[in-house]
Amino acid sequence: MHCKETTFSRAAQGAAETFAASLEAIGLVLSDGWSGEGALFEGDGLRCEGWYWAWQARRSFSVVCCDFTLKERLPFRFDFDRYFAVRCERHGLMPQASVSVFLETTPKTGSILLPQGARFSYTEIEYYDGYCQSVFGERIDKALKPLATSLGGLRDQASWDPEIAKMLGEISPREVRGPEAGLLYPGIANLVMARLLKMEEILYGGVPEQDRLSIMEVVSHIENNLGKAIRQKDLLEIANMGSTKFKRVFKQVTGSTVTGFVSAERIELAKRLLANQDMSIDEIAHHCGYERATSFSALFTKSVGVSPRKWRSIAKVAFDDDPESKMLEAVANKETYIHKKQISE
């Protein structure tokens, strides 16, 4: 952290300690000239161009705002703790101003090879166990698993509370000082969480808590076994419900049938794996629970609108400065037109 360590605020020092090693590996280095709150990382001009800014309330949450482009094909590695994140995309595979949520319940080290030319531009709040303990009195995997499940399957952006994107838009690497930042960023984090919980309440439609928890156990089983056969008999046993009630409650909580949910989760997993250029289509198909690559390719194409191979080519150019035209060029084999909404699914 160079000679600035002694002058860092606690929020800036915490952010620097959390993100510095992973960002340095892709060419984002801690800025010596930054005088605002939080920690600012700038591209070294060789491996990366752009910036990444973070402010952190230790053990509680981080706020992140970034816009950077990789100039080389680089490995990215990060140590993930338990966290819940809500992100507003500005440039990438997701449409502008679209909001999505992520939940990681198992501490682990993740790694991915990022392609040359990839551009990342988004705003995100990452909530940690400390936040959930102080607000809900529970660990993050207990407190926010139902919320992540309900909102994670919400493909229709029109159903999202529009105020969430607006509030995330208030986050930026502005030169605010300690007391102001100490009120601004926690205030936004709490307001965003309150809006998300209100959405969850509406989506559930009065499903009893025990039934919701039972469905969460089923969802966890599905997510952990996407590469295997998923049998309804096992799901009914986990939920401790009869078939009719289970189907009704599952759809209320997740917004989807069991078959639709499993299929969507497998397709989403396939999309992520297709960004890994080292895995073949056959390997990805088997990893996602399909016995034959031909069946996987047919279902993927029907769901996404393009074949797995074309999706892989899209993923390689989707972060470019002119992503829309390059996406259309990548899939311009006469018949397929790709809408932004399809790409975000």
Side-chain angles (χ1 to χ4, degrees):
M1 286 182 290
H2 312 297
C3 61
K4 288 194 66 178
E5 180 172 359
T6 56
T7 62
F8 272 6
S9 70
R10 291 180 61 189
Q13 186 169 338
E17 291 173 353
T18 298
F19 299 104
S22 297
L23 294 178
E24 195 282 331
I26 58 172
L28 286 161
V29 295
L30 197 62
S31 172
D32 287 326
W34 174 245
S35 59
E37 266 291 318
L40 180 68
F41 301 84
E42 296 178 309
D44 62 8
L46 299 174
R47 294 170 294 170
C48 179
E49 290 183 341
W51 53 272
Y52 185 106
W53 171 86
W55 186 95
Q56 186 176 75
R58 296 300 297 272
R59 298 181 300 277
S60 189
F61 67 89
S62 293
V63 294
V64 169
C65 191
C66 68
D67 191 343
F68 63 92
T69 302
L70 300 181
K71 301 183 73 174
E72 299 179 11
R73 189 174 185 229
L74 295 168
F76 179 71
R77 183 180 177 89
F78 198 84
D79 292 324
F80 294 97
D81 205 343
R82 285 184 290 267
Y83 75 95
F84 174 93
V86 54
R87 174 185 292 193
C88 185
E89 200 91 16
R90 291 192 304 277
H91 189 113
L93 285 177
M94 302 286 285
Q96 282 191 344
S98 67
V99 181
S100 53
V101 298
F102 313 90
L103 177 68
E104 179 57 65
T105 60
T106 305
K108 64 182 180 182
T109 297
S111 61
I112 186 172
L113 190 62
L114 299 175
Q116 179 181 7
R119 180 181 174 187
F120 299 86
S121 181
Y122 60 84
T123 300
E124 182 173 85
I125 303 176
E126 301 171 359
Y127 301 87
Y128 308 136
D129 263 343
Y131 181 90
C132 286
Q133 289 287 359
S134 64
V135 174
F136 306 106
E138 293 183 301
R139 278 188 359 181
I140 201 161
D141 49 346
K142 300 286 186 181
L144 295 180
K145 178 66 173 178
L147 176 64
T149 299
S150 296
L151 300 184
L154 197 61
R155 311 295 183 199
D156 181 8
Q157 286 295 317
S159 300
W160 280 84
D161 182 342
E163 290 300 316
I164 293 175
K166 290 181 182 178
M167 286 185 283
L168 290 172
E170 291 297 312
I171 295 172
S172 67
R174 63 191 75 182
E175 292 198 16
V176 296
R177 299 300 171 183
E180 181 184 349
L183 293 172
L184 177 64
Y185 301 126
I188 292 174
N190 286 323
L191 283 171
V192 167
M193 181 58 68
R195 290 278 185 167
L196 290 171
L197 293 172
K198 185 64 176 178
M199 286 182 64
E200 178 190 40
E201 180 183 323
I202 294 171
L203 288 170
Y204 278 160
V207 177
E209 181 180 8
Q210 186 54 54
D211 287 348
R212 296 202 305 267
L213 294 175
S214 295
I215 296 301
M216 290 307 104
E217 292 184 30
V218 170
V219 167
S220 293
H221 174 80
I222 292 172
E223 291 173 340
N224 292 329
N225 293 277
L226 290 173
K228 304 175 184 177
I230 295 174
R231 301 182 301 176
Q232 180 170 297
K233 183 181 81 169
D234 296 332
L235 303 185
L236 294 176
E237 185 176 330
I238 293 169
N240 193 27
M241 295 179 187
S243 177
T244 301
K245 178 182 179 181
F246 171 72
K247 291 177 181 179
R248 173 176 57 81
V249 176
F250 188 93
K251 187 165 187 178
Q252 280 183 276
V253 173
T254 67
S256 175
T257 64
V258 175
T259 301
F261 185 86
V262 172
S263 178
E265 288 297 302
R266 283 174 167 160
I267 294 299
E268 290 303 311
L269 175 60
K271 286 180 182 178
R272 295 193 296 272
L273 294 177
L274 284 165
N276 184 339
Q277 301 299 306
D278 296 327
M279 292 186 73
S280 70
I281 301 298
D282 282 352
E283 289 173 326
I284 291 172
H286 291 302
H287 198 84
C288 295
Y290 298 95
E291 292 185 4
R292 295 186 299 276
T294 52
S295 300
F296 161 68
S297 294
L299 289 168
F300 188 97
T301 303
K302 181 178 179 181
S303 174
V304 180
V306 293
S307 70
R309 295 187 189 282
K310 286 195 174 72
W311 174 266
R312 172 168 274 173
S313 69
I314 289 171
K316 289 171 64 178
V317 301
F319 297 102
D320 193 273
D321 288 338
D322 186 14
E324 184 176 3
S325 66
K326 296 213 172 187
M327 286 181 193
L328 294 176
E329 178 183 347
V331 297
N333 285 354
K334 300 185 285 224
E335 78 286 356
T336 309
Y337 177 80
I338 305 304
H339 293 284
K340 286 184 177 180
K341 186 173 183 298
Q342 286 177 301
I343 295 173
S344 71
E345 291 179 347

